[in-house]
């Protein structure tokens, strides 16, 4: 045993070196978005330029850029959906004018946290791409949050899973709305408050955006009713909401631009000034 | 004697970590136009460990130093990998620079006090360059940006060398 230890102390350096260097590389690739991206993209460059045998590999590695282009396409398609249009029906001569109200910009999540009470998400879109403060953000499974600050190339989103976040949300079935808050328990549930007790509720009811703010079009999925109870003496339900968006695995999201935002803001300012 | 060395190294570890993580880390960020560099002071901890440190332990200490710095830099594994690399090559660099009478492995410590300033400068600057080069290779992570790695390495090396030598002059460590 003593001999073995001596042998290790004398010649174990290389083994320790390899082991720790391996551990470091694992940490680097897993924890640094930059390196991970560079790793993937340079692997793509290298594999693309080598022999045919590597074709399968390079195809697999370039799935990333295919996904990018699909996300762009999705953003385009979202803007053709009915709830993105502002429909003006002029009854007098029955002409219908349809104007675009919402457009969508695809974005990639480059930094994300779920383990804090004030979680934030960083996206690779900024002023350069026309992102502004207070724009809504959603993913393929539901609402994500609201743009909080913007720099030239990036923006930071305050997601639902941030204790500072507050938004109104509607029960799709009954059209009653309440306020959605996060209780900092875990990143897959939130609470819906202020739903009066005479409403009929069922597990699995959809909760969607209300469309009362200028941030989100109405009807974007937020989550489903997971559990609800009525405390004695209270007139309102406490509803546990299972969030649609999986914040643990968030890769692509869409930023919502409301083309009427300025107009609405001015109008509302006017009212509050009075 | 041996206890003194351990205490001296523990204190040096803590001091260098705080100096690196709290002070030197911020300097490049404060400069707006010229900030493509980092100031490295903590590698001197690895340089100054006694010759009798077993090689696996040396590497482990290099890893510990690096990973601790990584906590401040929010870059898990990048500084650590450079620390591991330098700790690994240290015996080879030392053996190249071996003086005519050789090392006394049981008591010698690689200091100016023992081997003189020119020996120490050569020894530590070779290791420092290796450290910084390895750091940027991992940080930039592709040889696609070879020139950026070289440029950043040279800039950081020149600035860090001044700090390493300054540290040596100010504290002149003997243990």
């Amino acid at each position: 045993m003593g001999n073995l230890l001596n042998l290790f102390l004398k010649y174990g350096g290389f083994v320790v070196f390899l082991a720790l260097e391996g551990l470091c590389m694992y940490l680097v690739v897993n924890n640094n978005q930059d390196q991970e991206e560079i790793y993937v993209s340079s692997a793509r460059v290298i594999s693309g330029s080598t022999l045919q045998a590597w074709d399968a590999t390079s195809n697999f590695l370039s799935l990333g850029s295919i996904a990018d282009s699909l996300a762009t396409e999705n953003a385009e398609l979202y803007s053709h959906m009915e709830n993105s249009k502002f429909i003006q029906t002029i009854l007098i001569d029955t002409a219908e004018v349809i104007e675009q109200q919402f457009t969508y910009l695809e974005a990639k999540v480059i930094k994300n946290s779920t383990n804090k009470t004030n979680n934030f998400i960083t996206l690779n879109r900024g002023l350069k791409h026309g992102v502004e403060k207070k724009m809504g953000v959603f993913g393929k499974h539901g609402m994500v949050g609201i743009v909080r600050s913007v720099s030239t190339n990036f923006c930071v989103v305050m997601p639902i899973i941030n204790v500072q976040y507050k938004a109104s949300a509607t029960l799709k079935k009954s059209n009653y709305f309440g306020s959605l808050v996060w209780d900092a328990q875990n990143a897959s549930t939130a609470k819906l408050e202020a739903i009066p007790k005479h409403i009929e509720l069922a597990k699995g009811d959809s909760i969607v955006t209300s469309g009362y703010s200028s941030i989100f079009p109405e009807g974007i999925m937020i989550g489903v009713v997971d559990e609800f109870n009525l405390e004695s003496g209270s007139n309102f339900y406490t509803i546990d909401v299972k969030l649609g968006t999986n914040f643990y695995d968030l890769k692509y999201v869409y930023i919502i631009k409301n083309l009427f935002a300025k107009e609405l803001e001015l109008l509302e300012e006017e009212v509050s000034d009075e | 004697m041996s206890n003194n060395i351990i205490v001296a190294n523990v204190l040096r570890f803590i001091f260098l970590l705080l100096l690196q993580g709290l002070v030197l880390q911020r300097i490049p960020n404060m400069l707006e136009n010229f900030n493509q560099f980092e100031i490295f002071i903590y590698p001197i901890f690895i340089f100054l460990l006694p010759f009798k440190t077993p090689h696996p332990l040396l590497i482990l200490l290099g890893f510990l130093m690096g990973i601790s710095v990584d906590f401040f830099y929010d870059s898990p594994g990048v500084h650590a990998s450079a620390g591991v690399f330098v700790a690994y090559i240290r015996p080879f660099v030392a053996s190249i620079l071996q003086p005519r009478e050789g090392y006394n492995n049981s008591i010698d410590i690689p200091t100016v006090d023992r081997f003189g300033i020119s020996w120490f400068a050569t020894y530590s600057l070779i290791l420092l360059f290796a450290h910084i080069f390895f750091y940027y290779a991992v940080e930039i992570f592709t040889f696609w940006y070879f020139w950026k790695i070289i440029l950043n390495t040279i800039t950081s090396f020149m600035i860090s060398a001044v700090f390493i030598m300054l540290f040596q002059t100010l504290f002149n460590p003997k243990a």
Side-chain angles (χ1 to χ4, degrees):
Chain A
M1 194 61 207
N3 277 340
L4 213 64
L5 190 69
N6 277 334
L7 204 69
F8 178 74
L9 288 182
K10 208 158 177 209
Y11 299 109
F14 188 63
V15 178
V16 175
F17 169 69
L18 283 186
L20 288 178
E21 214 50 91
L23 176 63
C24 288
M25 290 306 151
Y26 174 80
L27 287 172
V28 168
V29 173
N30 270 281
N31 291 296
N32 298 287
Q33 201 65 39
D34 296 346
Q35 274 86 347
E36 193 183 340
E37 244 176 64
I38 293 165
Y39 171 75
V40 172
S41 65
S42 65
R44 197 187 302 153
V45 169
I46 293 158
S47 66
S49 60
T50 40
L51 298 166
Q52 293 244 326
W54 285 91
D55 244 29
T57 325
S58 76
N59 274 343
F60 175 71
L61 289 166
S62 62
L63 279 177
S65 69
I66 295 170
D68 276 342
S69 70
L70 285 176
T72 316
E73 219 173 294
N74 278 347
E76 172 72 24
L77 288 173
Y78 273 121
S79 67
H80 290 304
M81 273 169 63
E82 210 178 317
N83 65 356
S84 301
K85 309 278 187 189
F86 187 79
I87 302 175
Q88 267 179 320
T89 315
I90 300 165
L91 284 174
I92 301 163
D93 56 29
T94 66
E96 194 177 59
V97 181
I98 298 178
E99 270 187 76
Q100 188 80 31
Q101 185 180 4
F102 293 102
T103 61
Y104 303 86
L105 179 70
E106 87 288 354
K108 208 168 162 187
V109 175
I110 56 173
K111 203 172 171 192
N112 189 5
S113 71
T114 52
N115 57 350
K116 300 173 184 150
T117 51
N118 288 304
N119 292 303
F120 287 102
I121 299 170
T122 312
L123 305 178
N124 66 346
R125 294 281 183 253
L127 289 173
K128 219 160 84 178
H129 313 95
V131 179
E132 282 167 34
K133 268 189 189 179
K134 285 186 160 181
M135 281 181 171
V137 176
F138 72 108
K140 64 178 170 183
H141 296 304
M143 188 174 83
V144 173
I146 291 173
V147 174
R148 180 67 181 271
S149 56
V150 194
S151 68
T152 319
N153 292 299
F154 304 100
C155 65
V156 173
V157 174
M158 183 191 278
I160 308 170
I161 52 159
N162 183 314
V163 288
Q164 299 172 52
Y165 189 89
K166 250 198 160 113
S168 68
T170 309
L171 282 162
K172 198 176 182 183
K173 210 167 63 177
S174 56
N175 264 330
Y176 269 82
F177 76 98
S179 64
L180 187 77
V181 291
W182 189 52
D183 50 5
Q185 293 299 324
N186 70 66
S188 51
T189 57
K191 286 214 183 321
L192 185 64
E193 291 171 347
I195 295 289
K197 68 175 176 184
H198 60 85
I199 306 290
E200 253 184 57
L201 274 178
K203 201 173 165 179
D205 281 358
S206 296
I207 293 161
V208 297
T209 53
S210 63
Y212 289 157
S213 70
S214 59
I215 296 169
F216 289 100
E218 63 174 306
I220 287 186
M221 185 72 177
I222 293 175
V224 293
V225 174
D226 193 27
E227 259 179 72
F228 56 94
N229 62 66
L230 196 60
E231 270 170 49
S232 57
S234 170
N235 284 324
F236 299 102
Y237 282 112
T238 313
I239 303 173
D240 285 345
V241 180
K242 194 176 180 327
L243 295 172
T245 301
N246 179 3
F247 286 95
Y248 297 107
D249 182 23
L250 199 59
K251 292 253 157 62
Y252 289 94
V253 295
Y254 302 96
I255 301 170
I256 304 168
K257 278 189 212 183
N258 184 352
L259 304 177
F260 295 177
K262 280 269 141 52
E263 190 184 328
L264 279 167
E265 216 174 279
L266 279 175
L267 189 66
E268 278 161 14
E269 237 169 57
E270 218 170 273
V271 176
S272 62
D273 281 351
E274 279 172 22
Chain B
M1 177 62 195
S2 187
N3 275 337
N4 279 347
I5 293 174
I6 292 170
V7 171
N9 278 294
V10 168
L11 291 179
R12 187 150 54 225
F13 182 98
I14 296 166
F15 174 73
L16 286 171
L17 178 61
L18 296 178
L19 180 65
Q20 182 74 51
L22 299 179
V23 184
L24 297 183
Q25 185 205 352
R26 295 179 189 201
I27 293 177
N29 291 328
M30 289 189 302
L31 307 171
E32 271 193 28
N33 301 319
F34 179 68
N35 58 8
Q36 290 297 304
F37 70 92
E38 294 285 0
I39 303 165
F40 293 80
I41 189 79
Y42 71 90
I44 202 172
F45 169 76
I46 303 162
F47 306 167
L48 288 173
L49 288 165
F51 277 127
K52 70 174 173 202
T53 317
H55 200 192
L57 179 62
L58 188 69
I59 295 167
L60 194 65
L61 289 171
F63 176 77
L64 276 182
M65 186 77 238
I67 201 81
S68 312
V69 171
D70 277 331
F71 279 112
F72 287 92
Y73 278 74
D74 200 5
S75 61
V78 183
H79 286 279
S81 65
V84 168
F85 176 68
V86 160
Y88 177 69
I89 64 166
R90 199 189 91 157
F92 307 116
V93 174
S95 75
I96 292 166
L97 299 173
Q98 193 165 48
R100 199 162 299 153
E101 69 274 16
Y103 300 114
N104 186 345
N105 275 338
S106 55
I107 55 165
D108 276 351
I109 294 165
T111 57
V112 172
D113 198 46
R114 171 68 180 81
F115 294 103
I117 184 73
S118 77
W119 180 89
F120 182 79
T122 324
Y123 164 80
S124 59
L125 294 186
I126 289 174
L127 288 178
L128 181 66
F129 190 88
H131 185 99
I132 297 176
F133 181 81
F134 200 88
Y135 169 83
Y136 276 113
V138 176
E139 140 96 346
I140 299 173
F141 213 60
T142 164
F143 283 94
W144 221 249
Y145 298 112
F146 187 73
W147 288 113
K148 189 168 166 57
I149 296 178
I150 294 293
L151 206 69
N152 284 2
T153 303
I154 291 171
T155 323
S156 303
F157 171 73
M158 290 194 295
I159 298 166
S160 303
V162 174
F163 279 82
I164 293 269
M165 285 305 159
L166 209 62
F167 181 91
Q168 160 60 37
T169 320
L170 285 175
F171 296 97
N172 196 17
K174 295 184 177 65

